[in-house]
Amino acid sequence: LDAPTPATMAVATDFNFGDDAELDEDTVNKIMFGDKGYTIDDFQRRCLAVIVCPEKDVLAMAPTGSGKTAVALMAILQAFKRGQRAVYTSPIKALSNQKYAEFKEWFSEKGVDAQVSLLTGDVKIRAPPGTKNELLICTSEILRNKLVKSSGVNPFTPKVDAPPPTAASATEVNTYSVGDDPDADLDRLGCVVSDEIHYINDVERGSVWEETLMHLPKSVQMVALSATLREPEQFLGWIERVRSRPGELVRRIDRHVPLHVGGLNQEEEFVELFATHDNKESGMKAGVFESAKFSALFDEKPDAAKVKQKADNAAASRGARDQEKAEAAAVARGTGGGGGGGGGGG
């Protein structure tokens, strides 16, 4: 993250939270990049076009390192523009802790007047009372529990809610008060960013995401992020049916972080079989599987001499470690260390 520049601070200070306006690309670029001249890319631009429509959900699919965090930031800022609270969920406590530090630092460095709360079960950090622009970061289970408890219904019964908002009614405050025990964290909730949404396919934990989608009010925009979700079109269709509101899939397939697939030969050298990017040194072409190298690698006959040498080296290493342990144990008992003490003479 870059230190704030005067231009960035000025834009952030002039950023009118709660002014019922769409978040435009120019404002996003100025807040994120200041006067450096950078802009969001095509993938992020297409996501923004959906995020500014409060009646639509978005499923953002992109490889690791391709800018999904920027999509989350845009959704959070748009919620603030509508005078609403935003929630960011992750499936792992460590990731929640990491995102708490990142968002808190980002808001501070960019001069955005917002606070961050963190709930993971182990840690509870609350924004100051009365905070208007609040981002709540929590694990997926915590959000599910809050929604189910506040809905006052069976966890597997979809919550009956108002119809999805229109552009004209997007800023109506959501006072989530269904049930006898309303949750203040759900008050004014405008957007939920669900990171790693592909965890819904997990056999043991997938029901957490299912129940979250079932009980999330239809007035709340869902921004789902994933790099590895299978058949995203079918998944988006299921979300639309469950939530009774439209959604859009925004996808990119180019990968910024190179991926290399291969194996080790008998000389313990890496043999590259597939890569997502061209490799000028090895001559590997992106997206081409080297079937000849694959066959040679797995048809390679073991060298008996090398196998024996490895076994002998491993045995020698184990013997040396055992000797060190025995000597250390002898010293601990006070019997080691070269024959001291001497016996008496007659």
Side-chain angles (χ1 to χ4, degrees):
L1 293 173
D2 299 318
T5 63
T8 304
M9 296 292 288
V11 171
T13 302
D14 295 338
F15 185 74
N16 296 317
F17 293 111
D19 63 359
D20 190 17
E22 290 185 0
L23 187 66
D24 61 90
E25 182 180 342
D26 185 57
T27 300
V28 171
N29 291 332
K30 289 180 179 178
I31 292 180
M32 289 189 174
F33 309 115
D35 54 1
K36 297 183 181 297
Y38 300 130
T39 63
I40 56 177
D41 60 25
D42 177 68
F43 166 71
Q44 295 159 345
R45 191 174 296 112
R46 287 183 286 127
C47 288
L48 178 61
V50 183
I51 289 171
V52 298
C53 301
E55 70 277 8
K56 290 184 178 181
D57 294 332
V58 58
L59 173 58
M61 292 281 301
T64 301
S66 299
K68 293 191 295 296
T69 299
V71 175
L73 282 167
M74 292 187 297
I76 292 164
L77 291 175
Q78 180 63 85
F80 291 164
K81 287 279 283 183
R82 295 171 182 148
Q84 298 171 326
R85 174 186 280 112
V87 171
Y88 178 100
T89 71
S90 77
I92 305 171
K93 292 180 182 179
L95 181 57
S96 296
N97 294 334
Q98 174 188 334
K99 291 301 181 181
Y100 169 79
E102 290 180 358
F103 281 114
K104 191 174 180 64
E105 180 181 11
W106 192 87
F107 287 153
S108 175
E109 290 192 347
K110 300 303 181 182
V112 176
D113 182 20
Q115 299 293 332
V116 187
S117 297
L118 175 65
L119 299 177
T120 64
D122 296 335
V123 180
K124 180 184 291 187
I125 302 175
R126 287 290 188 179
T131 297
K132 180 180 180 182
N133 303 312
E134 180 184 3
L135 169 63
L136 172 62
I137 298 178
C138 62
T139 56
S140 303
E141 280 83 356
I142 286 181
L143 178 60
R144 184 276 308 268
N145 294 342
K146 285 178 173 291
L147 291 170
V148 170
K149 184 177 180 181
S150 293
S151 67
V153 297
N154 184 284
F156 293 96
T157 302
K159 177 179 174 291
V160 178
D161 206 329
T166 61
S169 64
T171 55
E172 292 181 2
V173 176
N174 172 35
T175 55
Y176 196 108
S177 58
V178 178
D180 298 327
D181 188 17
D183 193 321
D185 287 330
L186 303 178
D187 186 43
R188 296 191 300 110
L189 181 57
C191 171
V192 169
V193 178
S194 183
D195 202 358
E196 312 291 349
I197 191 68
H198 51 268
Y199 268 76
I200 196 170
N201 292 322
D202 185 84
V203 175
E204 296 181 354
R205 300 177 61 199
S207 61
V208 171
W209 284 263
E210 293 177 359
E211 294 168 26
T212 297
L213 290 167
M214 289 162 57
H215 292 279
L216 189 65
K218 294 180 181 64
S219 58
V220 178
Q221 185 176 55
M222 165 64 74
V223 178
L225 311 177
S226 178
T228 60
L229 188 67
R230 295 176 55 188
E231 300 178 342
E233 295 85 0
Q234 293 186 20
F235 179 61
L236 179 63
W238 179 81
I239 292 178
E240 290 178 322
R241 293 192 299 273
V242 169
R243 302 208 64 214
S244 299
R245 53 178 280 152
E248 288 193 24
L249 171 63
V250 181
R251 194 173 190 177
R252 76 181 305 168
I253 58 175
D254 57 309
R255 184 182 182 93
H256 286 243
V257 180
L259 178 65
H260 304 275
V261 180
L264 296 178
N265 61 18
Q266 291 189 38
E267 284 72 33
E268 297 187 352
E269 299 171 336
F270 180 73
V271 178
E272 190 172 14
L273 303 174
F274 179 85
T276 56
H277 292 65
D278 289 341
N279 189 333
K280 295 181 180 179
E281 294 183 2
S282 65
M284 175 70 70
K285 295 294 184 181
V288 177
F289 182 75
E290 297 287 348
S291 56
K293 289 183 179 180
F294 175 83
S295 299
L297 180 63
F298 285 91
D299 290 343
E300 197 172 28
K301 301 297 183 182
D303 187 321
K306 290 182 179 180
V307 172
K308 184 177 184 305
Q309 184 63 46
K310 280 187 177 181
D312 291 344
N313 291 341
S317 297
R318 287 195 299 271
R321 289 196 299 269
D322 292 343
Q323 179 65 26
E324 291 176 358
K325 292 179 180 178
E327 291 177 356
V331 171
R333 293 194 301 269
T335 61

